């Protein structure tokens, strides 16, 4: 999928579902439940056992409906392997020029993690289109609002500690989308087979973002 389409879907829907530590046999039910709630972008983290197989399965079975990505991509070799498995974008917790180069050479979207103005401007110079503000919960919505003073043209995706209680505040501070892990892809709900509640949570997150982005 073309990079601009991936970016547009992320910004239009506002939510990237982060799947971490999930069992392979649960993957398709999770993805279907999230999709039914309006989530169209999903990432499997590379510290999840069997992540390449899960990315491959998602790309094969949900690739027409959802944007499939990889998270926690820490080096260029991993970047290559997730692309080969079918990922159309990658996220990282850090700013690694080698990972950015590897993804850009394949014309794939890379969303690196940034936490300081220096990292943000460095990422911009490396041609990064979207940046992961991490750890967003610890930094706070006020931090985002203040860095967007001098850096208003940077498009941020807060990740880490985002929930229904603070997501509106971040959206109003200028975030374009959010990465949500356990607050959305909740382990206890999955363990108990309560996939309908995953759908409900997905709907709640998407609706809350939409409401606050346009307020």
């Amino acid at each position: 999928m073309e990079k601009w389409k991936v970016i547009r879907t992320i910004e239009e829907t506002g939510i990237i579902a982060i799947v971490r530590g999930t069992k392979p046999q649960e993957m398709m039910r999770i993805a279907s439940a999230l999709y039914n709630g309006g989530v169209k972008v999903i990432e499997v983290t590379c510290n999840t056992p069997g992540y390449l197989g899960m990315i491959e399965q998602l790309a094969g079975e949900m690739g027409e409906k959802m944007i499939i990505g990889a998270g926690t991509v820490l080096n260029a070799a991993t970047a290559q392997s997730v692309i080969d498995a079918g990922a159309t974008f990658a996220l990282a917790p850090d700013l690694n020029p080698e990972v950015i180069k590897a993804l850009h050479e394949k014309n794939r979207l890379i969303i690196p993690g940034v936490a300081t103005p220096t990292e943000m401007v460095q990422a911009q110079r490396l041609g990064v289109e979207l940046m992961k503000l991490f750890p967003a919960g610890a930094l706070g919505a006020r931090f985002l609002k203040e860095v967007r003073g001098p850096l208003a043209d940077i498009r941020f995706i807060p990740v880490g500690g985002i929930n229904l209680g603070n997501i509106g505040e971040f959206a109003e501070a200028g975030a374009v989308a959010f990465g949500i892990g356990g607050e959305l892809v909740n382990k206890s709900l999955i363990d108990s087979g309560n996939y309908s509640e995953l759908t409900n949570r997905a709907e709640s997150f998407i609706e809350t973002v939409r409401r606050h982005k346009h307020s």
Side-chain angles (χ1 to χ4, degrees):
M1 184 177 287
E2 293 169 87
K3 195 197 287 189
W4 69 269
K5 287 184 180 174
V6 176
I7 293 170
R8 187 180 69 184
T9 304
I10 289 171
E11 293 191 340
E12 282 179 354
T13 57
I15 298 292
I16 301 171
I18 301 170
V19 180
R20 177 182 287 109
T22 295
K23 299 180 183 76
Q25 62 269 28
E26 298 165 339
M27 192 66 252
M28 296 315 301
R29 289 188 72 186
I30 292 168
S32 295
L34 294 171
Y35 180 78
N36 290 340
V39 171
K40 293 184 181 174
V41 188
I42 189 168
E43 62 148 294
V44 180
T45 66
C46 293
N47 55 358
T48 297
Y51 69 94
L52 286 174
M54 289 190 235
I55 290 169
E56 207 168 322
Q57 185 185 20
L58 282 170
E61 297 186 37
M62 299 291 283
E64 295 295 312
K65 301 193 287 188
M66 297 182 89
I67 309 279
I68 314 302
T72 322
V73 177
L74 298 174
N75 54 60
T78 303
Q80 183 61 58
S81 66
V82 298
I83 292 168
D84 291 344
T88 56
F89 74 99
L91 288 94
D94 65 331
L95 179 63
N96 183 335
E98 288 183 10
V99 171
I100 293 168
K101 184 169 180 278
L103 271 297
H104 282 178
E105 282 176 353
K106 301 288 182 183
N107 199 31
R108 292 288 196 278
L109 176 68
I110 170 65
I111 307 172
V114 295
T116 67
T118 300
E119 289 175 339
M120 293 164 191
V121 175
Q122 186 186 352
Q124 204 172 34
R125 290 179 186 136
L126 291 167
V128 169
E129 293 103 329
L130 296 173
M131 298 180 203
K132 169 178 169 173
L133 183 66
F134 178 78
L139 293 166
R142 182 182 167 188
F143 176 86
L144 173 59
K145 188 175 181 180
E146 291 188 6
V147 296
R148 288 193 72 251
L151 303 174
D153 56 335
I154 293 179
R155 292 180 288 177
F156 291 105
I157 300 177
V159 181
I162 302 297
N163 54 50
L164 285 169
N166 63 16
I167 197 168
E169 201 180 351
F170 277 96
E172 288 171 7
V176 299
F178 299 85
I180 315 288
E183 290 287 326
L184 174 56
V185 191
N186 184 274
K187 191 175 186 312
S188 61
L189 291 177
I190 295 162
D191 288 345
S192 62
N194 190 357
Y195 290 93
S196 61
E197 183 56 28
L198 285 192
T199 300
N200 293 341
R201 287 193 183 201
E203 289 172 346
S204 296
F205 272 108
I206 284 177
E207 174 54 35
T208 303
V209 171
R210 187 174 288 129
R211 192 168 67 245
H212 286 276
K213 275 175 89 170
H214 298 293
S215 62

